[in-house]
Each structure stands twice: as C-alpha cells, then as structure tokens.
Amino acid sequence: VNVVTWVIAGLTLMATLLGPILALWVNRALDAAREERQRQQLIFETLVLTRRTAISPDHVRALNQIEITFANDREVIESIRRYFDYLDERAPTDSELFTRYQTRGRRLFASLVQIIGQRLGRAIDKMDLMEGGYYPQGLVDLEMRQRDNAELLSGVLRGSAPLTVALLGVQRTPGAQPSARAGRPAPNNPFPPPP
C-alpha cells in the first residue's frame, strides 16, 4: 500500500507540474495553426479579389507568399510553379496565339486558386475565377494612359524621343527681338507717365 501511495503522489505531482506546460504547448500549437490558416485565407481572398488586376502589388504579393505559406502542400506548390513558368514566358505578338496564351494563363490561375480554396473548404467555380470579377473600363483606360505617358517620358529622358516646346499666347511683331518678359503680363504701374 505504501508503494501505491508513493506512485499516486508522484503521478499527481507530475500532473500538477506538467499540466500547465502541456496546456501552454497545446495552446501555442493551436494559435500557430490558426495563424497559418488566417494567412492562407488572406492569400485566397486576395487572389480572388484581384483576379482582374494581375499586375497589382497585392496580387503579386499574394502569389509570392504561396510558396512560403503552403510550403508543405505539394499539390499547391506544383500548381504555383506551373503558373510561374507560364508568367515567365514571353507573350506572343500574334493576336490568335496571344488569345490562346491568355486563356491558358487564366486556366492555370483558376486551377491554383481552386486547389487553395479546397484546402480551406471554400469551393469556387472555375469560370468565376476565369471570367468573373469587376474592373471598370475607366480604370483600364486610366492605366493605359499612365503607361503611355510613362513610356513617353522615359523616351524623352533617355534622349530617344523629342521634347517639343511651344509658347502659347505670345504675340510677336515681325522683326522684333524677343524680350526676357515675353509671354508675361506687364506689371501694373502705380505711377502713370507724364502728359
């Protein structure tokens, strides 16, 4: 009876000492799993929300985080690598080939996001990923103008494009020499000339 009492006392002491340590360890493991799930969820949501703006910084950041966040998921890693291989290809200039190239890219992207969604228990239709979402034409036009303007400015700064300067609203009489004040209005003189 004496040995049994000592064994029970020893087990009670171990449970008293190890119980909080085990509870803390389990709590930390659960927190880590919850945080990883939240990171995965954020990547999924970002990719779905930015599917029409593939060059947006948020979209690119989400794509690059996949290899870190899903490092232990072989199917996701294989899918992102196939998509990265596609993105590294040079887009064809022929319009028919370019259309096929874009369609293949949308399929690869949709497949990737579907796999991630399956891991999170979020089913999403492949056609919604390929064709869905909203991006107004006004923003497309604005981005095109900004890109065109950036290219023009880049050409001027490199010296490969001319910079044309025109003076507007300046009238010169034939044969007159331009003055330093050309184009500027004359200041108001508080002292008129004598009569």
Side-chain angles (χ1 to χ4, degrees):
V1 176
N2 221 0
V3 173
V4 172
T5 306
W6 278 104
V7 169
I8 292 173
L11 290 174
T12 303
L13 180 63
M14 282 178 52
T16 304
L17 293 175
L18 295 178
I21 294 171
L22 287 174
L24 182 63
W25 179 79
V26 167
N27 194 26
R28 284 194 178 167
L30 290 173
D31 285 346
R34 191 178 310 112
E35 287 175 11
E36 182 175 327
R37 175 107 173 151
Q38 287 173 342
R39 284 192 301 271
Q40 292 174 346
Q41 186 73 27
L42 182 61
I43 288 171
F44 175 77
E45 289 173 1
T46 301
L47 291 175
V48 171
L49 292 172
T50 60
R51 66 188 179 267
R52 299 284 283 214
T53 56
I55 62 171
S56 75
D58 289 339
H59 188 85
V60 173
R61 188 177 305 110
L63 286 174
N64 286 320
Q65 287 175 334
I66 289 173
E67 289 180 306
I68 298 167
T69 307
F70 291 90
N72 297 323
D73 191 321
R74 197 172 122 228
E75 190 178 6
V76 172
I77 295 302
E78 287 174 1
S79 184
I80 189 64
R81 288 192 179 143
R82 280 192 301 271
Y83 188 55
F84 281 161
D85 288 344
Y86 160 79
L87 292 174
D88 285 340
E89 292 176 19
R90 186 174 271 316
T93 54
D94 178 63
S95 63
E96 186 178 322
L97 293 175
F98 183 75
T99 301
R100 280 192 237 149
Y101 169 81
Q102 277 189 312
T103 302
R104 184 167 58 93
R106 285 196 302 266
R107 283 188 185 131
L108 288 168
F109 175 76
S111 176
L112 168 67
V113 176
Q114 270 193 319
I115 293 168
I116 292 172
Q118 289 170 357
R119 299 302 184 267
L120 299 170
R122 306 269 308 262
I124 189 162
D125 184 56
K126 197 169 200 168
M127 285 309 285
D128 279 345
L129 290 169
M130 291 176 62
E131 304 296 333
Y134 172 66
Y135 198 66
Q137 186 62 41
L139 287 176
V140 173
D141 295 342
L142 177 64
E143 286 178 0
M144 292 299 289
R145 280 194 305 274
Q146 288 173 338
R147 190 175 311 137
D148 291 346
N149 290 339
E151 286 178 20
L152 289 171
L153 180 61
S154 179
V156 168
L157 294 175
R158 280 193 317 266
S160 61
L163 175 64
T164 304
V165 178
L167 296 174
L168 301 176
V170 176
Q171 295 181 353
R172 289 184 28 197
T173 55
Q177 295 296 323
S179 72
R181 294 179 174 228
R184 288 192 227 156
N188 291 334
N189 186 354
F191 305 104

